[in-house]
Amino acid sequence: MPLHSITPPALKFGGDRFYVARWQRTLLFALPFGVLAFASGWFLEGPSGQFSIFDHVTYPIMAVTLAALWCLLALDKHNLGLVVITIVGGTSAFLLGKLVFLLFFGIEAPSVLAQLTETFFWVPVIYLLSFVLPGVTIGRRIALGFTLVVLALCSVYALWPDHPQRTLGVLYALLQINLANSVLLGLTQAFIGFKEAYTRNQTRMEVAERFAEIDTLTNLPNRFSLQKRVTTSLEVARLRGTQVALLFIDIDGFKTLNDTFGHEAGDLVLKQLAVRLQNVLRKNDFIARISGDEFVLVIEDVEDPQIASFVANKLQAELVAPFHVANQAFNVTVSIGISFFPEDADDVDALLRHADSAMYRVKRSGKNGVQQYRRETDAQLERQRAMERDLRAAIQAQDLTLVYQPIHDLATGEVRKFEALLRWSNPTWGHVSPADFIPIAEASGLIVPLGTWVLHEACRQAKAWQRVCARGVQVSINVSPLQFAQSNFYATVVEALELHGLTPDALELELTESMVLHGVDHVTSTLDRLQRLGVSIAIDDFGTGYSSLAYLRDLPIDTIKIDRSFIKDLGSPRKGPQFSLALVEAITRLAQHLDLDVVAEGIETKAQCDIAKSLGCTAGQGYYFARPMTTDAVDVFLRVTAGEPLRESVGLAN
Ligand code: C2E
Ligand code: MG
Ligand code: MG
């Protein structure tokens, strides 16, 4: 939530209970002094020799009024506004009335002086009280009006032609009173102004700080607070030599709940869950919501690690009763991972990561359980997840590239096609082999967008090469099982071909044996449609999977690529080659019968090349011919083979 949309708690009168109660107490204490002052003045004025008929009438009125206001305020603090305004208004009226009486109704000068000093003590009361109610301006207007009227009355007195009782002493006193009043009003206004600005600022900061540390949906502390809290907990634990446990709690199937019943239902479940989790907490435990459906519980001073598991089980027990949202009952379970300081890690991030990995292990083993971090297994898992995160970012930023390895015709030596192979390098991981990142992309589903990108990029490149090399060149891409299983796979291929203006015969798709064997109906129909379109199909890494030969007959396949592990053995003096020789020969015979192309993968030596050729392989791929090349290198290669002069040197990729 942006900070500007947070309004500080209303400072309006009555908006802050604490503020009102405080002023109520203060006035209940002060008002009796006012009552006493006016009452004693009434009784003692005569005997003291300061008698004035005005006071004699108004003092009892003021005393009774103040006493009545005291009662009003004692009965209900919400009368504070009324009481304050009445005191400010009443005292102003009283003082002004008295001033008019003193200056214009024939009182003796010495008596005027005494009366002025006696009563004008009350001016600060007006000023101070006029600022009591923040945001309410009526009191301030009265105070200002009072000052201006006093000034006007004094000016009239001073300038009145032939005023009978005017003396220099009275003029001097009035001047002092006005000057003092103005200073007092100015100072009060400035002081209260500062105070209000300070309070507003302070409140705003408190609110902002609170929002920065609180998750607004559940009102639990957020990730930022968790970080702060755990940092402190670890510092204390380090000093005391105690243990801290972190419980990483993730709701099972929350995404499905959200998708099925909507985000509002999801939010309500989160709120209820937050309340239930808090029920289990002990005094010093701390729980935070760190993202969507993830909560972290911190337990300090853990004497026995069993305690953490015990709390985790208690948490799960607390969730057994169904959650009720919009007349629906939901059963919610959670997966909990636990890590300990100092045993598993000694900084906040690592502890959180480890608890998260342990939680992830619970998810993988069927959810709704508790696991503690295990260094050996979870470290590997963490590495994979970190790599997955970086891979996701790299795919989004289109940081991956394709290199191309030629596939040669063994009879003529000509290049038949280029296989597109993915490359990824990253500052953290360096050059990552596809053998490492493709399985991660497959497990996380990232292979689908990645595979689509490869398809488009390879088609675009093949089209560009067709412009360089008149006879054209076929491009072969690897298709992952998950990508192939997408219902729109066929449409994606068609779209890529059309977008880049490539004819289908310029594209070959490499599938693995396992993929061809699974889900036969879907596979057969998609392969049939692709073949009818004119796209070629190859079986990659043949011999490493099930090697069921029946599908070679039943499915529309054009090429078999014999896995490198068999080709490696060809031409080797060891015993293993007998099997490889037999296998390659058997496959080539079968392939001849079915009219399929056979590519020998991973040819590294001339001997391997010769044997593969003699056994009946029609094509070969491997370092013996060329390593995978950058697009620029392929470009040069094609220009050379097309008879154009070699302008750039051929660059090779690893
Ligand atoms: P693959 O499809 O069997 O690709 C051939 C692999 O063998 C490539 O490894 C290639 O560099 C390597 N190779 C070629 N000739 C030789 C040789 O003479 N000796 C040796 N030792 N190796 C050779 P790479 O590029 O590391 O790719 C490994 C695997 O990753 C590929 O095996 C393929 O299964 C997968 N892969 C690569 N790119 C993609 C892609 O875009 N999509 C998918 N789904 N998988 C891909
Ligand atoms: Mg391949
Ligand atoms: Mg292969």
Side-chain angles (χ1 to χ4, degrees):
M1 178 190 296
L3 281 186
H4 57 74
S5 66
I6 300 168
T7 32
L11 272 181
K12 276 192 302 219
F13 166 64
D16 186 333
R17 277 182 293 132
F18 171 75
Y19 177 87
V20 172
R22 215 172 164 159
W23 270 107
Q24 183 204 24
R25 277 203 303 278
T26 310
L27 284 181
L28 285 178
F29 172 78
L31 277 174
F33 290 100
V35 176
L36 193 64
F38 286 109
S40 62
W42 193 58
F43 286 116
L44 299 175
E45 257 197 340
S48 69
Q50 296 201 33
F51 179 81
S52 131
I53 184 70
F54 182 87
D55 292 347
H56 201 67
V57 176
T58 53
Y59 275 19
I61 298 175
M62 286 298 284
V64 171
T65 310
L66 291 182
L69 290 174
W70 187 92
C71 295
L72 207 61
L73 197 59
L75 284 176
D76 187 353
K77 61 176 183 273
H78 292 109
N79 292 325
L80 178 72
L82 178 70
V83 169
V84 168
I85 298 298
T86 315
I87 299 175
V88 173
T91 316
S92 301
F94 164 73
L95 289 178
L96 289 172
K98 181 151 183 175
L99 199 60
V100 171
F101 175 77
L102 291 175
L103 299 183
F104 303 108
F105 288 91
I107 314 291
E108 294 290 320
S111 185
V112 171
L113 283 177
Q115 294 285 342
L116 281 176
T117 45
E118 179 196 315
T119 356
F120 276 75
F121 290 127
W122 291 97
V123 173
V125 171
I126 297 177
Y127 288 157
L128 283 171
L129 281 182
S130 65
F131 288 100
V132 160
L133 308 176
V136 178
T137 49
I138 179 156
R140 296 169 195 203
R141 289 204 187 117
I142 295 175
L144 185 67
F146 165 78
T147 312
L148 294 176
V149 177
V150 170
L151 199 65
L153 287 175
C154 295
S155 308
V156 172
Y157 174 79
L159 303 172
W160 190 286
D162 308 323
H163 191 295
Q165 271 89 28
R166 185 169 47 212
T167 67
L168 268 180
V170 173
L171 280 176
Y172 173 63
L174 291 179
L175 183 70
Q176 293 298 343
I177 283 177
N178 278 303
L179 288 175
N181 276 3
S182 309
V183 172
L184 199 60
L185 182 68
L187 283 179
T188 317
Q189 189 130 26
F191 175 74
I192 302 290
F194 282 135
K195 179 95 179 97
E196 279 183 357
Y198 176 78
T199 316
R200 248 198 315 274
N201 216 13
Q202 203 61 7
T203 318
R204 207 173 284 141
M205 269 158 55
E206 273 167 24
V207 171
E209 209 164 274
R210 206 177 116 75
F211 272 86
E213 296 196 357
I214 292 285
D215 161 49
T216 44
L217 179 70
T218 58
N219 269 335
L220 289 180
N222 61 15
R223 180 183 277 275
F224 175 68
S225 306
L226 177 82
Q227 203 90 14
K228 260 171 73 175
R229 171 63 181 248
V230 180
T231 307
T232 321
S233 303
L234 296 192
E235 274 165 17
V236 175
R238 243 175 240 128
L239 288 174
R240 292 199 197 145
T242 51
Q243 294 191 81
V244 177
L246 242 66
L247 275 69
F248 200 108
I249 305 158
D250 190 290
I251 305 177
D252 298 328
F254 186 69
K255 189 175 178 305
T256 318
L257 187 146
N258 251 344
D259 292 348
T260 322
F261 298 99
H263 285 266
E264 272 173 30
D267 283 357
L268 290 172
V269 167
L270 283 173
K271 278 186 181 175
Q272 290 183 25
L273 185 103
V275 174
R276 291 210 204 172
L277 293 180
Q278 281 169 293
N279 288 344
V280 181
L281 301 195
R282 294 162 316 163
K283 206 169 111 236
N284 283 332
D285 295 345
F286 178 88
I287 192 152
R289 175 176 174 235
I290 59 167
S291 67
D293 61 343
E294 294 174 339
F295 297 80
V296 172
L297 170 62
V298 185
I299 310 177
E300 292 165 348
D301 289 330
V302 179
E303 279 164 12
D304 179 355
Q306 289 304 319
I307 291 177
S309 306
F310 173 73
V311 174
N313 292 331
K314 236 169 95 186
L315 281 176
Q316 290 189 308
E318 184 71 25
L319 305 181
V320 167
F323 287 64
H324 294 279
V325 170
N327 297 329
Q328 302 243 28
F330 296 95
N331 286 311
V332 175
T333 61
V334 291
S335 300
I336 305 177
I338 308 176
S339 66
F340 290 99
F341 166 88
E343 195 188 321
D344 298 329
D346 80 342
D347 68 280
V348 185
D349 289 341
L351 268 179
L352 265 174
R353 216 173 40 243
H354 292 345
D356 183 22
S357 317
M359 182 282 293
Y360 191 66
R361 197 151 28 84
V362 179
K363 293 269 184 206
R364 299 218 310 189
S365 57
K367 305 178 181 169
N368 190 17
V370 183
Q371 289 282 347
Q372 280 184 21
Y373 174 70
R374 271 193 245 133
R375 196 176 295 272
E376 321 73 52
T377 35
D378 289 351
Q380 172 66 13
L381 213 66
E382 269 174 25
R383 188 176 172 276
Q384 279 180 14
R385 294 180 73 195
M387 196 181 264
E388 179 189 323
R389 246 194 332 267
D390 291 346
L391 181 62
R392 191 181 296 273
I395 293 173
Q396 257 163 18
Q398 303 209 343
D399 263 354
L400 290 101
T401 49
L402 285 179
V403 291
Y404 298 85
Q405 190 177 28
I407 297 172
H408 289 255
D409 188 311
L410 288 184
T412 63
E414 265 183 9
V415 172
R416 288 241 199 113
K417 51 196 160 197
F418 284 90
E419 177 176 5
L421 295 163
L422 265 169
R423 291 293 175 265
W424 178 40
S425 50
N426 167 285
T428 319
W429 309 101
H431 291 286
V432 193
S433 158
D436 288 333
F437 73 80
I438 294 287
I440 290 176
E442 276 171 345
S444 59
L446 286 173
I447 194 72
V448 177
L450 184 58
T452 307
W453 177 80
V454 170
L455 176 68
H456 275 269
E457 182 59 16
C459 288
R460 189 188 64 76
Q461 199 56 63
K463 183 68 192 177
W465 286 331
Q466 280 181 355
R467 292 193 199 104
V468 174
C469 171
R471 72 184 158 87
V473 60
Q474 197 180 33
V475 70
S476 190
I477 65 162
N478 293 284
V479 177
S480 136
L482 189 64
Q483 191 188 353
F484 189 77
Q486 301 297 303
S487 56
N488 63 348
F489 179 71
Y490 174 81
T492 312
V493 173
V494 173
E495 191 187 309
L497 290 171
E498 281 175 359
L499 186 72
H500 301 286
L502 194 69
T503 49
D505 60 355
L507 180 66
E508 181 179 67
L509 303 178
E510 294 191 11
L511 315 177
T512 58
E513 285 175 82
S514 56
M515 188 190 326
V516 183
L517 283 175
H518 287 127
V520 170
D521 282 352
H522 162 73
V523 172
T524 314
S525 71
T526 310
L527 288 180
D528 279 337
R529 290 171 78 195
L530 286 166
Q531 200 198 35
R532 260 182 274 130
L533 186 69
V535 173
S536 314
I537 307 293
I539 301 296
D540 203 357
D541 306 337
F542 191 85
T544 55
Y546 300 89
S547 302
S548 160
L549 301 179
Y551 68 79
L552 291 181
R553 179 199 59 206
D554 300 335
L555 294 176
I557 290 163
D558 304 283
T559 305
I560 298 173
K561 296 184 77 176
I562 301 177
D563 191 68
R564 194 173 77 225
S565 54
F566 303 107
I567 305 302
K568 198 174 69 189
D569 286 342
L570 304 182
S572 151
R574 285 182 294 112
K575 197 169 173 236
Q578 300 310 322
F579 174 74
S580 296
L581 273 172
L583 182 119
V584 174
E585 197 171 9
I587 295 170
T588 47
R589 288 246 177 94
L590 187 73
Q592 274 165 8
H593 183 69
L594 295 170
D595 197 20
L596 303 178
D597 254 344
V598 180
V599 179
E601 283 191 298
I603 296 181
E604 291 185 351
T605 62
K606 181 166 188 319
Q608 287 168 351
C609 179
D610 292 342
I611 297 173
K613 191 173 162 188
S614 69
L615 289 174
C617 292
T618 48
Q621 174 183 10
Y623 297 169
Y624 172 65
F625 303 104
R627 286 184 177 249
M629 308 178 203
T630 61
T631 44
D632 289 347
V634 177
D635 215 51
V636 174
F637 178 88
L638 290 176
R639 283 178 203 280
V640 171
T641 52
E644 287 187 20
L646 180 62
R647 269 169 302 197
E648 299 135 281
S649 63
V650 175
L652 299 179
N654 65 337

